[in-house]
Amino acid sequence: MLGGLLAELRKLRRPLLLWLTLGTVALVVLFAAMSQQPNYEYIGNLRQGEVNMRLHPPTASELGVQPGPSYDAALAKEYRSMHRQTEEAIAHAVAVGSTQHPAGALGLAARLMASSLGALVILLLAGGHTGAEWTQRTIKDVLARDPRRYRFVLLKIASLWAAGVWLLITAWLGLILFGLVTRHLWPLPQPSPEAATWLWAARQVLRALPVLLLYATVGVCLSVLVRNPLGALLGGLILLVACGFASRFDLVERAVPVVWIGTWMRFRADSAPQSYLLDHPFSANQSVLIGPVLSLAAIALLIGVVTAASIAVMQARRDILL
């Protein structure tokens, strides 16, 4: 089994994985930049606003009061309101600022790979790694060496899951390098203590691992069904959009896999048009539809069902070239 897995991993050393790695790192870094730069500018504007208000306080007429004690009270209220707004923005920016350091960057990479970004990347990789066995006419040689078709399915799933972990690691390294620049370019407040951030990041990685396995399983199943890289990717896109659409309806949302993933990863449970899977990964809100334990159980059950279906399809089509 280990030899077969190593053989599948060697197959992954193709230009497709290289380009997907570079593309994933670029998208993750772009997401981080789009989160960090606006927060830095927003906090800077609020702080400058506080300074300007104290240097040039509003007049009594601008506050709609008469000069005297009522004006002093209204001005103090404006100062407190402005300061409270700044403190709230700083508290929100702590989660974003943590991604400028290795611990927070690891958590962000894990959450993004468990979101729609990771799903699309792994589906694309599954089409090239599994579906291409038929389009390139290599399936005959693979099954001639080892006719046990269940092993073919399991090895494809395992190698794609390993590729997903590889993409998570490279995204993390890309964020670390990016953070070395942005912590000086856009300095943001950092969480304290750092050990708590590492603990949070470790939890995100552990939560992302079964989600990546689910994506790999679905990708292999679609590739086995359609036996074409483009068809597998198109089927994955349709499935992803359909799940996101179905999650907006109260009647069926508990049975939609993206809801399970969103609850397990603790993505924000917002209303339409955003789905659980496509939501902003910095949110700390949690879906109350089903608990995280039930969500994990549902994900595990789905992995088993989809794997069994893939094996059944391979066994049912007895011709070598399928």
Side-chain angles (χ1 to χ4, degrees):
M1 193 74 172
L2 181 59
L5 179 59
L6 293 176
E8 291 296 329
L9 292 175
R10 283 194 293 269
K11 286 184 184 179
L12 279 169
R13 294 186 301 177
R14 296 174 175 175
L16 177 61
L17 180 58
L18 173 61
W19 288 112
L20 282 178
T21 300
L22 295 176
T24 301
V25 172
L27 289 174
V28 168
V29 166
L30 178 62
F31 181 89
M34 293 174 62
S35 301
Q36 295 173 18
Q37 192 260 352
N39 275 273
Y40 170 74
E41 289 189 351
Y42 182 57
I43 292 176
N45 291 336
L46 289 177
R47 285 173 171 167
Q48 187 60 45
E50 282 193 79
V51 174
N52 292 339
M53 179 177 287
R54 294 190 179 278
L55 293 177
H56 309 286
T59 63
S61 60
E62 290 174 337
L63 295 177
V65 297
Q66 296 295 325
S70 58
Y71 169 68
D72 294 337
L75 186 59
K77 183 179 180 181
E78 287 294 318
Y79 287 154
R80 288 195 300 270
S81 176
M82 177 67 77
H83 184 70
R84 183 170 59 252
Q85 187 177 1
T86 303
E87 291 299 316
E88 290 174 354
I90 291 174
H92 171 74
V94 167
V96 182
S98 68
T99 62
Q100 295 178 337
H101 291 263
L106 177 59
L108 175 60
R111 290 176 75 81
L112 286 177
M113 285 304 299
S115 72
S116 57
L117 171 63
L120 292 174
V121 171
I122 293 178
L123 286 172
L124 180 58
L125 188 59
H129 184 52
T130 305
E133 296 281 13
W134 282 270
T135 57
Q136 296 179 3
R137 299 291 179 178
T138 55
I139 185 66
K140 179 179 180 179
D141 298 330
V142 172
L143 294 180
R145 288 194 300 268
D146 189 345
R148 293 171 293 183
R149 302 188 177 203
Y150 73 92
R151 281 174 58 93
F152 173 83
V153 172
L154 296 179
L155 289 174
K156 289 294 184 183
I157 292 174
S159 58
L160 283 171
W161 178 79
V165 175
W166 159 259
L167 291 171
L168 191 159
I169 294 172
T170 54
W172 176 40
L173 296 177
L175 285 173
I176 290 177
L177 295 176
F178 185 66
L180 294 176
V181 177
T182 58
R183 74 177 65 171
H184 300 290
L185 186 62
W186 306 318
L188 290 170
Q190 304 298 320
S192 182
E194 188 176 356
T197 307
W198 277 109
L199 181 61
W200 170 82
R203 287 198 298 264
Q204 306 315 305
V205 173
L206 292 176
R207 289 179 180 276
L209 293 179
V211 178
L212 293 177
L213 181 59
L214 175 61
Y215 294 158
T217 305
V218 172
V220 170
C221 184
L222 290 171
S223 299
V224 168
L225 285 172
V226 302
R227 296 168 287 166
N228 181 281
L230 185 59
L233 176 60
L234 182 60
L237 289 173
I238 293 173
L239 185 62
L240 189 62
V241 172
C243 286
F245 181 75
S247 68
R248 296 160 55 181
F249 296 94
D250 295 339
L251 185 63
V252 297
E253 62 179 341
R254 293 192 183 194
V256 180
V258 294
V259 178
W260 308 338
I261 295 171
T263 306
W264 172 242
M265 292 301 301
R266 289 179 167 85
F267 291 159
R268 185 176 57 196
D270 259 355
S271 57
Q274 289 181 318
S275 73
Y276 291 87
L277 190 58
L278 303 178
D279 213 341
H280 196 292
F282 285 125
S283 174
N285 296 332
Q286 183 179 353
S287 169
V288 296
L289 294 173
I290 53 178
V293 176
L294 286 178
S295 297
L296 178 60
I299 291 172
L301 178 62
L302 183 59
I303 290 172
V305 170
V306 175
T307 302
S310 302
I311 295 173
V313 171
M314 287 290 296
Q315 296 288 1
R317 295 172 174 173
R318 299 307 303 176
D319 52 310
I320 290 282
L321 293 178
L322 300 184

